[in-house]
Structure formats: structure tokens, C-alpha cells
Amino acid sequence: MVAGICAGAVVAALLAGGGTNTGTPDGYSMRTDARFAPVGALVPSAAVTYDTKLVPAAAWIEVGQRTTVGGATTVRLRVDGMVPGHAYAVHVHQKPCGADPAAAGGHFQHKPSTDPADVTADNEVWLDFTADEHGAGEASARHDWNFREGEASSVVIHEMPGSKVRAACFTVPFGWAP
Ligand SMILES: [Cu+2]
């Protein structure tokens, strides 16, 4: 019975689409990458830039997720082609990206809350980074909890820490398998 439930969840994870998804009895792992393209680009991308000065077209992003059976989840971010020395704020957001930067909705929160005090790196997935002198950057975040179905769908790059302005967005097949 338990095995049947697990198998169903794995299928759901695999159907989430994109990248490399591996649902196994050991958990869920996924890695996906893309090059940014502006809204309305001839060749659309899962990675959309709204501000090509901060996130240039053709800048690269990779996001990986590893979730263990117990639910502990690590999310990794790697980027290249960003503005050297610039500090970006990055979060996992609830909805897929769209032409409108607001399409990605709010942050994924482990404990859903409207209290600003719950907007923390403990209750959310933050992947802030500062690009190195070559424009590359990376970050990772680990939590004891997992995503919930349909509540984590993208990674949003904000123009700087503390800013709500969305410079770019990457639609990611996050999983919620056991
Ligand atoms: Cu955000």
C-alpha cells in the first residue's frame, strides 16, 4: 500500500516536465538549465529576463533539487553571464513565470503566512548570490521539509537583496515526491 502511494507520487514528479527528473524510492532529484531570453523572444525559453541590463539575454541558469525520503530538501542554483560583482536576491516562487513579472506569484513558504516576520530564509527557499568577476554565481539552501504540490514552480531573480523588483524568472519542475 505504501509502495503504491510512492509510485504514484513518482509518476507525478516525472510528469512535472523539463530537465532531468529522477523519482526513485530514495526520494526525488531534478536538474534543469536554460539560457535567458527576453519576453516575446522568437525562441521562447523557460528562463525569462525582464531586465536585460541585470540579467542579460543568453545568461545561463541551472537549478537542481534533491529531496530525500524523509523530506529534507536541498535546492542548488548556478548561473553564468550575470553582472560581475552584483548582488542578486533569489527565491523559489509559487507559480510558473509569465510575460508579466507578477505571474510567478509569491514565495513558497513552508509555513504559509501573511506575517512579514515569516519572510525568512528558514521559512522560504532563498538562493541569494553575488556574481564573481566573470559573472558566475552559485548558491544552495537546505531545509528539513519538502515542497507541497503546485506551490513551488519557479525561481525569481530580484534586482538586489531587499528589492521586490523582478529582474528575471525561471520556470522549474520542482517535485514533492516522498
Ligand atoms: Cu522573490
Side-chain angles (χ1 to χ4, degrees):
M1 187 60 191
V2 170
I5 291 169
C6 288
V10 168
V11 169
L14 289 169
L15 290 175
T20 307
N21 303 318
T22 313
T24 73
D26 296 330
Y28 175 87
S29 69
M30 172 282 298
R31 184 157 41 87
T32 184
D33 73 313
R35 297 213 173 260
F36 285 97
V39 173
L42 270 175
V43 182
S45 172
V48 185
T49 174
Y50 307 114
D51 182 339
T52 55
K53 285 200 173 64
L54 280 176
V55 179
W60 175 82
I61 183 168
E62 178 186 75
V63 174
Q65 174 192 352
R66 176 89 184 92
T67 296
T68 64
V69 171
T73 297
T74 301
V75 179
R76 287 182 189 284
L77 168 77
R78 291 200 298 153
V79 294
D80 203 0
M82 312 295 279
V83 176
H86 187 81
Y88 298 83
V90 182
H91 316 118
V92 172
H93 279 241
Q94 295 177 353
K95 303 246 167 32
C97 312
D100 180 350
H107 295 174
F108 174 84
Q109 293 192 313
H110 172 58
K111 178 183 122 190
S113 171
T114 53
D115 187 342
D118 291 322
V119 179
T120 64
D122 283 338
N123 195 39
E124 303 181 345
V125 177
W126 291 14
L127 297 159
D128 296 16
F129 69 92
T130 298
D132 69 14
E133 69 270 34
H134 305 295
E138 57 182 42
S140 70
R142 186 191 181 284
H143 294 285
D144 292 334
W145 37 260
N146 194 2
F147 294 120
R148 291 180 301 274
E149 181 173 359
E151 294 186 41
S153 307
S154 61
V155 166
V156 170
I157 301 179
H158 296 270
E159 61 176 2
M160 66 185 74
S163 168
K164 288 187 159 57
V165 176
R166 301 173 182 199
C169 182
F170 181 30
T171 300
V172 173
F174 287 116
W176 46 84

